Amino acid sequence: MHPPEEGAAHRGELVVVTGMTGAGRSTAAKELEDLGFYVVDNLPPTLLRDVVRLVDETRGYEQPIAVVVDVRSGSFFDTLRANLAQGATGRRTTLLFLEATDDVLVRRQEAARRPHPLQAGGRLLDGLHRERQVLADLRSDADLVVDTSNLNVHQLTARVAEAFGAPDAMRLKITCTSFGFKYGIPVDADLVADMRFLPNPHWVPELRPLTGRDESVSAYVTERPGAQEFLAQYVPVVQTVAEGYLREGKRFATIAIGCTGGKHRSVAMTEELARRLRDLGFDATATHRDLGRE
């Protein structure tokens, strides 16, 4: 078997999975394995290139690889960052970072009855804060950040499958997600837009029980003064950002569209934005974080 030509990208994907303890690394790794990835868990970053070389020799250059790196790698994170920045493995590489809020991580760790690796005899929360500090630079380098606070196992599995199951790996994948400001801004958002400048269907009795997915609500929202103007001006912004992301090797983008409760305005505008982006050829999907919470 001959290696790829000089300068040619490997056809096999390399996904580095990291993030907070309890945020779902094992779930992500299991789904990647189901998608056909060769998965190595708890890999010391110094062995990354050796693993890629061995897989290349034994399984071929097209075999996708996923490695899971956790906080126990500690001082080796600088080696990992350097290897990824330099493209040392020769493969298309995605750094996937999983996180969640402290209260969610505490509940998950307590349910699992496991101490945190950085707890050092103190409180679980102390360990989580130390972990965030250790992982801060990796998070800033991440190609895809997924906040699993409000995701169950099946939803996280679907998110991983959506991100890494498609064969067209060099295409920007855009997730447009609606949310309610009263529940907090999604921490994994790359762009955030506020739809509270539009009239609220909540105050229209016949629309109140419906959602932004219903045609009558969608028409009411998108036909209000300013809605079409916003979309007409925001889509070119997304196009410009998308082109820059691809130039910089970033292949995932999350656009968060918010309103007060995440039920009417944000949902309707998210669906319309995703539709317009698909019409332009983007791989865009619409999700709704807070729909059904009211």
Side-chain angles (χ1 to χ4, degrees), residues 105-128:
L105 293 175
V106 167
R107 288 200 303 271
R108 291 175 181 173
Q109 285 297 101
E110 289 178 343
R113 297 186 178 182
R114 295 176 182 173
H116 191 280
L118 298 184
Q119 194 168 338
R123 298 183 308 159
L124 176 57
L125 201 57
D126 295 332
L128 291 173

Side-chain angles (χ1 to χ4, degrees), residues 76-197:
F76 295 116
F77 280 146
D78 287 341
T79 301
L80 173 63
R81 294 182 68 209
N83 283 337
L84 297 181
Q86 297 165 8
T89 66
R91 286 175 172 250
R92 296 190 308 270
T93 303
T94 299
L95 177 57
L96 169 63
F97 191 97
L98 303 176
E99 68 177 12
T101 60
D102 284 348
D103 59 329
V104 170
L105 293 175
V106 167
R107 288 200 303 271
R108 291 175 181 173
Q109 285 297 101
E110 289 178 343
R113 297 186 178 182
R114 295 176 182 173
H116 191 280
L118 298 184
Q119 194 168 338
R123 298 183 308 159
L124 176 57
L125 201 57
D126 295 332
L128 291 173
H129 289 167
R130 293 190 187 101
E131 185 175 30
R132 288 198 191 278
Q133 293 175 351
V134 171
L135 296 177
D137 288 337
L138 270 183
R139 188 195 185 286
S140 66
D141 291 342
D143 299 291
L144 177 60
V145 177
V146 177
D147 178 14
T148 68
S149 301
N150 297 310
L151 301 182
N152 59 34
V153 171
H154 302 294
Q155 290 169 327
L156 175 55
T157 295
R159 187 73 188 273
V160 173
E162 177 187 340
F164 300 104
D168 190 1
M170 296 308 292
R171 189 180 181 192
L172 184 70
K173 298 177 176 65
I174 300 177
T175 300
C176 302
T177 184
S178 66
F179 72 96
F181 276 97
K182 70 180 183 180
Y183 302 115
I185 297 174
V187 298
D188 53 347
D190 297 296
L191 300 173
V192 178
D194 185 354
M195 297 299 105
R196 290 176 295 183
F197 71 93

Side-chain angles (χ1 to χ4, degrees), residues 2-79:
H2 300 288
E5 296 178 0
E6 186 69 26
H10 278 217
R11 286 162 288 183
E13 179 93 6
L14 171 63
V15 177
V16 178
V17 182
T18 189
M20 297 295 294
T21 300
R25 294 190 307 257
S26 297
T27 298
K30 178 61 171 63
E31 176 60 18
L32 287 167
E33 187 173 27
D34 290 344
L35 292 172
F37 282 72
Y38 182 88
V39 177
V40 181
D41 198 359
N42 192 25
L43 178 75
T46 52
L47 299 180
L48 180 62
R49 283 191 285 184
D50 292 329
V51 167
V52 172
R53 177 178 53 80
L54 288 172
V55 173
D56 285 350
E57 292 174 353
T58 59
R59 294 181 175 239
Y61 298 106
E62 294 186 11
Q63 171 64 54
I65 305 171
V67 297
V68 182
V69 180
D70 65 28
V71 73
R72 288 170 291 182
S73 299
S75 60
F76 295 116
F77 280 146
D78 287 341
T79 301

